[in-house]
Amino acid sequence: MELIADFAVNYGLFLAKAATVVIAIGLAVAWILSILAEARAERDGESLQVTHVNDRLERMAETLNATLLNPSERKARAKRRKVEQKQKRKAEKLGKRHEPARLFVLDFDGDIRASAVDSLRDAITAVLQVVESDDEVMIRLESAGGMVHSYGLAASQLARLRDAGVRLTVCVDQLAASGGYMMACVGERIVAAPFAIIGSIGVVAQIPNFHRLLKDKQVDFELHTAGDYKRTLTVFGENTEEGRAKFREELEDTHGLFKHFVAKYRPALDIDRVATGEHWHGTQALELALVDEVSTSDDVMLAAAKDGRDVFTVGMRHKTGLIARLTEQSRLAISRVFAESGLARVVHRQT
């Protein structure tokens, strides 16, 4: 009887372990499938979002007037609006309708990798299919810069508008520095808020080296390359003066390309005066011809609406699930930490 009892206990433990393994595998498979399904849903859930800004501005004005005006003034205002609408409908019937130029507003909020470029390129592609000769595109740009190749691509997306003959205005309310200014200079007109940070036309790179620490701990590190300059500086190997000189040469070459790019779009700019890596506030940037006007994006949009132009914000909307949102928040947090500590500059040259 004791032997049977021991067998039953051991068999029960075996079944419990087996069930635990099966459940764990099932949960893992279900988790993977949910991630794949969510990723597929996110791809399918991407859509273009367009908002008519004029309607929003009109609602704001009506709400305020409803409070400020007395009954007789509100009645007179409503009467004037009816007359204006009647005249507009009559003009349309007579074929005298005149469509004023439209203003399309796009946003770019840049991080180190300029990851918003994917949404920007889609929005620009959409606008290019409907834009007419007298329309205008405005980019609300905020960026401290980042990786050279990433911001080079972002600037190239804006150049698509200029190459298509579209009037492009870039508005900077807070910050367009380094790679951010590389994008901004593509604009036919640059508008900056008085205290917006502008400029920082320079290139920076920094890299830690643990060679002495490894040598002290008697740890060997080997790096094999084909090509004299396949790797100039390393994190763990012993760096040479020749490698340092080549690395500095590459930085100067990148800086030269940056300066040439800015000078191409802003030929009146004294590029040697401003390409020192310094930054300036909006009012100072105006004096240096880094920007063309001191104002805010809100004022530009409001002025366009008052001129009778239709103002539309255009952007890509992504329907993201919980996992994607948590991942994105983690990515942004890490990006901010890297930006503040300078660690993002370890591997990549950064404008």
Side-chain angles (χ1 to χ4, degrees):
M1 290 296 294
E2 184 177 348
L3 182 62
I4 294 175
D6 289 341
F7 174 77
V9 171
N10 291 331
Y11 186 68
L13 291 174
F14 170 75
L15 289 178
K17 292 178 181 179
T20 302
V21 171
V22 170
I23 292 173
I25 293 175
L27 290 174
V29 171
W31 181 68
I32 293 173
L33 291 176
S34 67
I35 291 177
L36 294 176
E38 185 173 285
R40 185 166 53 252
E42 288 177 11
R43 289 195 299 270
D44 296 338
E46 184 180 67
S47 61
L48 186 70
Q49 186 173 21
V50 182
T51 303
H52 193 205
V53 177
N54 303 64
D55 292 339
R56 174 174 168 270
L57 293 175
E58 187 173 337
R59 287 194 299 270
M60 293 169 64
E62 289 298 327
T63 300
L64 190 57
N65 281 322
T67 303
L68 298 178
L69 301 180
N70 57 47
S72 61
E73 290 173 330
R74 288 198 297 269
K75 184 177 180 181
R77 176 178 172 81
K79 186 176 180 179
R80 287 196 305 270
R81 286 181 57 82
K82 287 182 179 179
V83 172
E84 291 171 357
Q85 292 173 356
K86 183 178 180 180
Q87 291 175 343
K88 183 178 179 180
R89 288 193 296 268
K90 185 177 180 180
E92 290 175 357
K93 290 180 180 179
L94 296 175
K96 296 180 180 180
R97 183 180 182 184
H98 172 67
E99 289 289 350
R102 297 168 297 185
L103 176 64
F104 296 98
V105 181
L106 283 61
D107 290 303
F108 183 88
D109 190 358
D111 56 14
I112 289 175
R113 296 181 178 274
S115 54
V117 71
D118 289 333
S119 296
L120 179 67
R121 78 203 311 174
D122 288 339
I124 289 175
T125 297
V127 169
L128 283 174
Q129 295 180 77
V130 301
V131 71
E132 297 179 356
S133 59
D134 56 351
D135 289 336
E136 180 183 359
V137 173
M138 185 182 90
I139 305 293
R140 291 187 291 194
L141 172 64
E142 300 294 340
S143 176
M147 295 177 183
V148 175
H149 57 282
S150 300
Y151 275 88
L153 175 60
S156 297
Q157 294 300 322
L158 299 188
R160 293 172 61 198
L161 294 165
R162 291 293 302 272
D163 294 342
V166 179
R167 185 185 179 198
L168 175 62
T169 294
V170 176
C171 288
V172 183
D173 289 328
Q174 297 185 73
L175 175 65
S178 201
Y181 188 76
M182 181 190 294
M183 293 179 65
C185 73
V186 180
E188 183 178 339
R189 177 175 65 139
I190 303 177
V191 179
F195 287 93
I197 294 176
I198 306 293
S200 189
I201 302 174
V203 184
V204 62
Q206 56 189 8
I207 179 171
N209 183 265
F210 298 95
H211 172 69
R212 287 186 295 176
L213 176 63
L214 296 178
K215 185 177 180 179
D216 182 62
K217 300 299 181 181
Q218 297 184 338
V219 177
D220 293 328
F221 175 79
E222 295 187 12
L223 176 67
H224 303 275
T225 63
D228 293 340
Y229 300 114
K230 178 62 178 177
R231 184 71 69 241
T232 53
L233 297 182
T234 73
V235 176
F236 300 109
E238 182 177 7
N239 291 320
T240 65
E241 286 303 320
E242 182 183 11
R244 293 188 183 96
K246 182 61 178 177
F247 192 76
R248 287 192 290 267
E249 179 185 332
E250 292 173 348
L251 288 184
E252 290 295 336
D253 288 344
T254 303
H255 189 211
L257 291 172
F258 192 176
K259 290 165 62 178
H260 178 75
F261 186 85
V262 174
K264 172 186 174 182
Y265 286 100
R266 298 190 71 82
L269 191 63
D270 183 354
I271 191 64
D272 292 327
R273 168 68 181 85
V274 298
T276 59
E278 299 172 83
H279 67 266
W280 295 270
H281 293 294
T283 51
Q284 299 168 318
L286 179 63
E287 297 174 359
L288 294 169
L290 285 163
V291 303
D292 303 296
E293 184 181 335
V294 174
S295 186
T296 65
S297 61
D298 307 279
D299 287 329
V300 174
M301 295 167 63
L302 184 59
K306 286 183 176 180
D307 287 341
R309 302 168 64 186
D310 281 322
V311 182
F312 300 94
T313 58
V314 181
M316 301 303 299
R317 179 175 59 185
H318 303 273
K319 297 179 181 179
T320 56
L322 176 61
I323 295 175
R325 289 197 296 272
L326 291 175
T327 302
E328 177 64 12
Q329 291 299 322
S330 300
R331 183 190 65 78
L332 291 175
I334 293 172
S335 179
R336 284 194 295 269
V337 170
F338 272 40
E340 293 170 359
S341 64
L343 293 177
R345 304 168 187 169
V346 167
V347 180
H348 299 274
R349 288 188 296 275
Q350 181 175 343
T351 57

